Amino acid sequence: MDNKVSSMKGSCLLLLLLLSNLLLCKHVSSLPMCPSGAANCQVSLRELFDRAVILSHYIHNLSSEMFNEFDKRYAQGRGFITKTIKSCHTSSLSTPEDKEQAQQIRYEDLLILILRVLRSWNAPLYHLVTEVRGMKEAPDGILSRAIEIEEQNKRLLEGMEKILGQVRPGVRENEVYSVWSGLPSLQMADEDARLFAFYNLLHCLRRDSHKIDNFLKLLKCRIIYDSNC
Ligand SMILES: *[C@@H]1O[C@H](CO)[C@@H](O)[C@H](O)[C@H]1NC(C)=O
């Protein structure tokens, strides 16, 4: 631990030497959640947030496009929109409904909530890929996006674990998440019912990825910029 701290100190000195940029370390050490002495840990925390926000934006973009593609291809004329969307499997995690609600939550709790939502999507994304692959004339615009989202969701999850590790060292969050039990509905024999189950799932994915993207931007602003953005 001491070694780590002193090597962090060392890196900060190095940074100062290299960049001759006092402001960087000064600004960074004034932020609240770094262990004292680890003046440069915020630099990499900021990098982690930058990457996470880019990733979550990308995942949301892919989810929206996948939903649109599915909607165009399968949902038209089936009246899915007028059917009520069943609740999403992540609904039990009671995520904030909007920005105002999200602002009320302690940032550690919001971080943990994001982790839980991301983890709750591991299983359904895995099965989504398998089931789409098995569809006749597996639609490439949907399959390729499902594969990419599954992959990137794991990367984002790893990134968020690193962020939590820096913000709250020692806090491990790997227990409570929302279990998905929707596989049988993706395999129903009745085509309309099956397609509606896909539609519902993709709708939930788009919704959750949008939420995560928004929460992450909010967290980045609160943690990295002390809410000055
Ligand atoms: C996704 O990103 C691409 C490239 O930036 C953009 O052209 C497209 O409109 C975006 N799609 C959605 C649904 O936002």
Side-chain angles (χ1 to χ4, degrees):
M1 201 59 189
D2 279 339
N3 268 343
K4 204 173 171 190
V5 168
S6 62
S7 84
M8 280 172 166
K9 272 183 183 162
S11 327
C12 190
L13 281 175
L14 198 62
L15 259 180
L16 283 173
L17 284 171
L18 286 175
L19 304 174
S20 307
N21 188 351
L22 264 166
L23 271 178
L24 183 64
C25 272
K26 222 168 150 186
H27 170 64
V28 148
S29 61
S30 69
L31 289 166
M33 70 291 302
C34 258
S36 56
N40 78 334
C41 84
Q42 290 297 323
V43 177
S44 52
L45 186 58
R46 181 185 311 193
E47 274 172 22
L48 285 174
F49 263 110
D50 285 345
R51 279 184 233 157
V53 166
I54 291 170
L55 257 183
S56 70
H57 185 77
Y58 179 54
I59 292 171
H60 177 53
N61 175 290
L62 286 171
S63 312
S64 305
E65 292 192 335
M66 185 165 69
F67 178 81
N68 293 342
E69 182 86 16
F70 187 90
D71 186 53
K72 206 167 63 192
R73 211 173 153 122
Y74 297 104
Q76 304 293 315
R78 289 180 200 261
F80 284 171
I81 295 170
T82 53
K83 268 197 194 178
T84 327
I85 294 284
K86 284 180 288 176
S87 70
C88 300
H89 75 290
T90 49
S91 300
S92 60
L93 293 174
S94 48
T95 49
E97 281 307 316
D98 52 32
K99 208 174 160 183
E100 281 63 41
Q101 277 186 24
Q103 292 281 22
Q104 307 298 315
I105 300 186
R106 292 193 318 163
Y107 63 78
E108 299 95 319
D109 296 339
L110 197 52
L111 259 178
I112 287 173
L113 208 46
I114 292 174
L115 274 168
R116 287 179 182 164
V117 174
L118 289 173
R119 205 167 279 132
S120 304
W121 276 100
N122 275 344
L125 284 173
Y126 169 80
H127 290 290
L128 180 67
V129 170
T130 324
E131 295 306 312
V132 171
R133 198 174 262 138
M135 280 165 101
K136 39 180 198 281
E137 311 158 24
D140 191 51
I142 298 173
L143 181 58
S144 60
R145 288 185 180 105
I147 292 171
E148 182 72 358
I149 294 170
E150 195 212 351
E151 180 87 20
Q152 300 305 329
N153 191 65
K154 283 186 194 146
R155 278 186 63 203
L156 182 56
L157 188 52
E158 277 167 23
M160 295 310 296
E161 275 160 359
K162 285 188 191 145
I163 287 176
L164 183 66
Q166 284 209 13
V167 170
R168 278 284 169 268
V171 171
R172 295 210 41 85
E173 203 300 302
N174 49 16
E175 279 179 27
V176 190
Y177 66 100
S178 212
V179 175
W180 180 69
S181 55
L183 184 56
S185 64
L186 295 184
Q187 297 173 331
M188 284 188 288
D190 180 78
E191 192 183 30
D192 271 6
R194 188 175 67 246
L195 288 177
F196 184 63
F198 275 102
Y199 181 84
N200 197 76
L201 187 64
L202 299 190
H203 183 272
C204 289
L205 180 61
R206 185 182 64 167
R207 191 198 71 156
D208 281 357
S209 66
H210 190 215
K211 280 194 168 192
I212 286 178
D213 194 32
N214 284 334
F215 295 167
L216 264 176
K217 284 175 185 150
L218 203 88
L219 272 180
K220 181 180 164 186
C221 176
R222 274 167 81 178
I223 295 179
I224 305 294
Y225 298 103
D226 207 10
S227 296
N228 293 315
C229 40

